[in-house]
Amino acid sequence: MQLTRRNAILMGAGAILMTGLPLRASAAGEDAIAAFTGGAEVGEGDIKLTAPEIAENGNTVPIEVSSDSAAEILVLALGNPTPAVATFKFGPLAASRSASTRIRLAGTQDVVAIAKLEDGSFVKASTTVKVTIGGCGG
Amino acid sequence: MAEGVKPRVKVPKTASAGEVIVIKTLISHKMESGQRKDGDGNVIPRSIINRFTCDFNGENVVDVTLEPAISTNPYLEFEATVPASGEFKFTWYDDDGSVYEEIKKIAVE
């Protein structure tokens, strides 16, 4: 197919249609991130998110977050009906800035962890988890 | 109302001063997400544990906000420093206002 202006417009419209639904689903996630960071820029760096590549059962997916200098870590599941999962705040007696838990995932999606570091900056890690059986009912 | 809620915590009985210990907690709770429907198509109301804290002699170790995306029987694992003998206090806050507490003593040798 020759790339004419008309074709380019058609392709663009198709792309918008295809991404329309996921865009709406992740808007709540972006809101949650903005509420946590206060609109600050989120970089990459000192944060690790461990989750299985494939989860057979979305009802209980083990995850682990860790960061050496985080004061708080927010975990989000962007494809869930409500994206918030948990917020970990570490006190003076926390030996490491890490925690494990088990979460529910509605389907295959990105799980995101955002850490607020002690210097006030934010870093992010994300991983995609493939879910065979969703875990949010419905 | 959540029924049959039972906290379980694993903490070593002894440690040396300043040692790092791993704490594992689990509380049996159905954690109804508010997304499920019953047989008649009615939404089952949300009933979750929304907050968990762990303190040692009054000093905070972790304070976790839990959302409906946390699995049934919420499990949490984290690490704590033990400065001296004392007790760990674990608290779970339920949506219905109930508060569940568990205390574990640890001795520093």
Side-chain angles (χ1 to χ4, degrees), chain A residues 58-64 74-75 77 80-105 135-138, chain B residues 19-21 26 30-33 35-37 48 55-57 59-83:
Chain A
N59 266 315
T60 168
V61 182
I63 62 151
E64 187 185 344
L74 169 79
V75 182
N80 272 4
T82 52
V85 174
T87 310
F88 299 93
K89 290 192 188 112
F90 298 100
L93 285 181
S96 67
R97 309 304 163 90
S98 67
S100 311
T101 186
R102 298 174 189 147
I103 67 169
R104 289 183 178 125
L105 296 176
C136 280
Chain B
E19 193 183 329
V20 171
I21 59 161
L26 188 124
K30 59 186 157 92
M31 293 292 272
E32 200 55 69
S33 66
Q35 302 287 342
R36 295 200 311 142
K37 287 175 181 159
I48 69 158
D55 297 279
F56 180 77
N57 291 350
E59 258 197 291
N60 185 248
V61 181
V62 285
D63 184 339
V64 187
T65 309
L66 305 172
E67 306 284 349
I70 296 288
S71 298
T72 308
N73 303 336
Y75 167 80
L76 289 162
E77 182 185 324
F78 50 89
E79 292 181 329
T81 312
V82 189

Side-chain angles (χ1 to χ4, degrees), chain A residues 15-28 30 78-79:
Chain A
I16 289 167
L17 276 177
M18 273 165 63
T19 53
L21 255 173
L23 265 182
R24 234 173 296 149
S26 67
E30 274 161 29
L78 296 183

Side-chain angles (χ1 to χ4, degrees), chain B residues 78-108:
Chain B
F78 50 89
E79 292 181 329
T81 312
V82 189
S85 294
E87 57 184 35
F88 280 101
K89 187 176 163 195
F90 305 90
T91 319
W92 291 262
Y93 299 85
D94 200 322
D95 265 354
D96 65 16
S98 312
V99 174
Y100 315 106
E101 280 183 359
E102 179 85 2
I103 285 172
K104 289 277 178 192
K105 288 195 168 68
I106 186 162
V108 165

Side-chain angles (χ1 to χ4, degrees), chain B residues 1-43:
Chain B
M1 274 300 286
E3 286 147 26
V5 177
K6 192 177 169 229
R8 293 186 187 87
V9 180
K10 211 169 171 183
V11 177
K13 286 200 173 59
T14 58
S16 49
E19 193 183 329
V20 171
I21 59 161
V22 175
I23 296 177
K24 296 179 181 183
T25 74
L26 188 124
I27 185 162
S28 39
H29 192 285
K30 59 186 157 92
M31 293 292 272
E32 200 55 69
S33 66
Q35 302 287 342
R36 295 200 311 142
K37 287 175 181 159
D38 63 14
D40 304 326
N42 303 315
V43 173

